[in-house]
Amino acid sequence: MMAIKKVVINICALLLIISVIPFLNIIGGLYYAAIAILFFIICSNIRYVQINRCCLLFLLICSFSIVFNDIPSEIKPYQRFLLYFIIYIVFGPLFYNEKTNQLRLNIFFLLIKFCVIITLVSILAFLIWGIGIDKKDLGFKGITGYSMMMAPIAAISTFYLIYLLRFRHAKWAIFLILISLFTMLIAGSRSALAAFLVSFLFSLFKESKRKFFRLVLISIPILVISFPLWKSQLAVFEKKQEIQERMDDGENSRTIKWNNRLYEFKNNPIIGVGFSSLDIRHSAGDYSKSEGTLEPGSSWLALLSMTGILGFFSFFCLYFISVKDYLMNKLKSHLDILVFQLLVFFGLHFIFEGYLFGIGSILLVIFLLSMSLSSRYTKIVLKCQQ
């Protein structure tokens, strides 16, 4: 029975991750089918669980924001919230015990291993067939739908490979780390690259100040000497900056999206405009009616505009609780280091990307798993031989 459950979990993890690969994600419902199967597996282990009251409060506020707002039916707020609630049960820290933690740990490692595979396959596809350049912004999207997805996946891949190098002393991981870093660079996402660098350096500083300063002293001359080899890749960032400047007068500018979120927050400061919603009259450009998707431009600002001050502070408390032990204490294990890096990475990446309420986003799933596996919720010893 355990072997069958393991196979089912592996298949579900695969179905979740292929949602980022357009030509494999032929039937979009497979992503939600995988969540449904994992929901039943998790529920079968919800006995003698602890309930995260902060998480429950956040979800209640999200539901109140729907009830006390007049949200257009085309946005389907109740259906979105129901699935969001299920996602928090499966991957988030709403309920937790030793068994659910171990299941989430297994799913977590499966997904980030798949991130490594996607990164490597993307580079191979580019070298062999020359495919993977995003024609919209000239960044490298690999086999994913767009470069803004490729960059964080490459970052997660890099974090995991560094974990392997240090935990298992896998020297071969050095080559793959370089490939993942290169993929992140040519994807051209400044937000993902900055979030990765800050997260990695901060975790290293927390772990050992001596190692941090030694790395900085070694890296600076290497970067200066190798600059002629990688300076051409900076052209991707320059091209993206030019595209962003041309978009400043259009509806798709990130600055305009941020201003829209602030406008919505000022008009609905307590409870927001509604969970996973927006003011269509003012922010029509941020909603794709044909695809049924929202593009808030920032997760943190989306929290403010959609759930108001109440939702923002309840979620911030939930997030802060997850990282507090790491900030206050020394990082004790390699799993602690990996989870802390991902939590900091997502916290920074949320500033520029709005997938916190993205029920179909694999990045949301990996973020919630990272929160669930933080030391705040895993006082028990997990079998972490990944």
Side-chain angles (χ1 to χ4, degrees):
M1 184 63 70
M2 290 299 295
I4 295 174
K5 182 186 289 188
K6 186 176 180 180
V7 171
V8 171
I9 291 173
N10 289 350
I11 293 173
C12 287
L14 179 61
L15 294 178
L16 289 173
I17 201 70
I18 64 172
S19 64
V20 306
I21 307 173
F23 62 86
L24 288 181
N25 190 30
I26 301 172
I27 305 175
L30 291 177
Y31 173 88
Y32 301 108
I35 291 176
I37 294 169
L38 291 173
F39 173 73
F40 287 111
I41 293 175
I42 289 289
C43 286
S44 67
N45 290 277
I46 296 182
R47 297 175 185 173
Y48 310 107
V49 295
Q50 297 186 58
I51 300 175
N52 185 334
R53 286 172 288 184
C54 192
C55 185
L56 182 61
L57 175 63
F58 168 64
L59 292 171
L60 284 174
I61 291 172
C62 287
S63 66
F64 292 155
S65 73
I66 298 175
V67 174
F68 295 111
N69 277 290
D70 184 18
I71 303 174
S73 58
E74 62 189 89
I75 293 181
K76 301 179 180 178
Y78 290 102
Q79 293 93 321
R80 287 175 184 266
F81 177 73
L82 176 61
L83 185 53
Y84 195 69
F85 187 77
I86 291 173
I87 287 172
Y88 264 78
I89 291 175
V90 177
F91 307 110
L94 180 58
F95 304 116
Y96 58 98
N97 60 21
E98 184 173 353
K99 287 186 177 180
T100 60
N101 284 341
Q102 193 65 54
L103 281 169
R104 288 171 184 146
L105 181 73
N106 295 337
I107 298 168
F108 171 76
F109 274 112
L110 283 169
L111 291 179
I112 58 178
K113 285 175 182 177
F114 284 134
C115 286
V116 176
I117 294 171
I118 287 174
T119 303
L120 298 179
V121 171
S122 293
I123 285 294
L124 286 174
F126 176 69
L127 294 175
I128 297 173
W129 296 293
I131 62 173
I133 300 298
D134 194 328
K135 295 179 180 179
K136 290 182 179 180
D137 60 12
L138 302 180
F140 179 68
K141 66 178 181 178
I143 60 174
T144 68
Y146 50 101
S147 61
M148 290 297 109
M149 177 61 73
M150 186 72 256
I153 284 180
I156 294 168
S157 168
T158 309
F159 282 131
Y160 177 61
L161 290 167
I162 292 172
Y163 165 86
L164 281 183
L165 176 64
R166 304 187 64 189
F167 181 56
R168 283 200 169 181
H169 307 289
K171 301 298 183 182
W172 50 264
I174 297 174
F175 177 66
L176 300 185
I177 289 171
L178 294 176
I179 292 177
S180 295
L181 285 171
F182 177 71
T183 304
M184 193 183 350
L185 183 64
I186 62 176
S189 172
R190 292 163 294 178
S191 57
L193 183 60
F196 169 81
L197 290 174
V198 172
S199 175
F200 174 71
L201 292 175
F202 184 46
S203 66
L204 188 62
F205 182 81
K206 277 286 300 173
E207 183 187 356
S208 170
K209 294 179 177 62
R210 181 175 60 85
K211 291 180 181 179
F212 170 80
F213 287 113
R214 185 172 65 182
L215 177 65
V216 171
L217 291 174
I218 293 173
S219 299
I220 290 176
I222 292 176
L223 289 173
V224 171
I225 294 171
S226 63
F227 179 72
L229 298 176
W230 54 268
K231 69 175 181 178
S232 61
Q233 301 305 323
L234 297 178
V236 176
F237 295 100
E238 294 173 358
K239 287 287 184 182
K240 284 201 168 189
Q241 183 63 36
E242 291 175 6
I243 293 171
Q244 181 67 34
E245 290 173 356
R246 289 199 299 268
M247 290 169 57
D248 280 343
D249 295 326
E251 293 183 338
N252 293 321
S253 167
R254 180 177 281 152
T255 303
I256 290 178
K257 293 182 191 297
W258 288 2
N259 289 335
N260 289 342
R261 302 292 80 75
L262 292 172
Y263 171 86
E264 291 164 350
F265 167 68
K266 289 175 183 176
N267 284 280
N268 305 271
I270 305 301
I271 203 70
V273 296
F275 168 80
S276 196
S277 181
L278 44 76
D279 186 343
I280 293 182
R281 293 168 299 177
H282 181 266
S283 311
D286 299 341
Y287 174 63
S288 173
K289 190 173 182 179
S290 60
E291 298 181 7
T293 56
L294 305 171
E295 296 182 13
S298 167
S299 291
W300 293 115
L301 289 179
L303 270 171
L304 274 176
S305 70
M306 296 177 185
T307 60
I309 293 174
L310 295 178
F312 180 87
F313 280 108
S314 62
F315 179 83
F316 183 80
C317 289
L318 175 64
Y319 174 75
F320 181 74
I321 287 171
S322 299
V323 299
K324 185 183 71 172
D325 286 350
Y326 297 131
L327 294 172
M328 302 297 292
N329 304 303
K330 189 172 181 180
L331 300 175
K332 298 177 181 179
S333 71
H334 291 88
L335 179 62
D336 283 342
I337 295 169
L338 177 60
V339 169
F340 178 64
Q341 287 174 338
L342 288 172
L343 286 172
V344 174
F345 171 81
F346 282 115
L348 294 172
H349 203 231
F350 281 162
I351 298 172
F352 303 98
E353 300 295 338
Y355 51 85
L356 181 59
F357 291 125
I359 54 177
S361 173
I362 192 63
L363 296 178
L364 170 66
V365 169
I366 296 174
F367 165 70
L368 290 177
L369 287 169
S370 301
M371 274 211 303
S372 299
L373 295 172
S374 68
S375 60
R376 172 67 177 81
Y377 308 113
T378 55
K379 299 299 182 184
I380 51 92
V381 178
L382 293 170
K383 297 177 182 177
C384 183
Q385 299 299 324
Q386 303 291 333

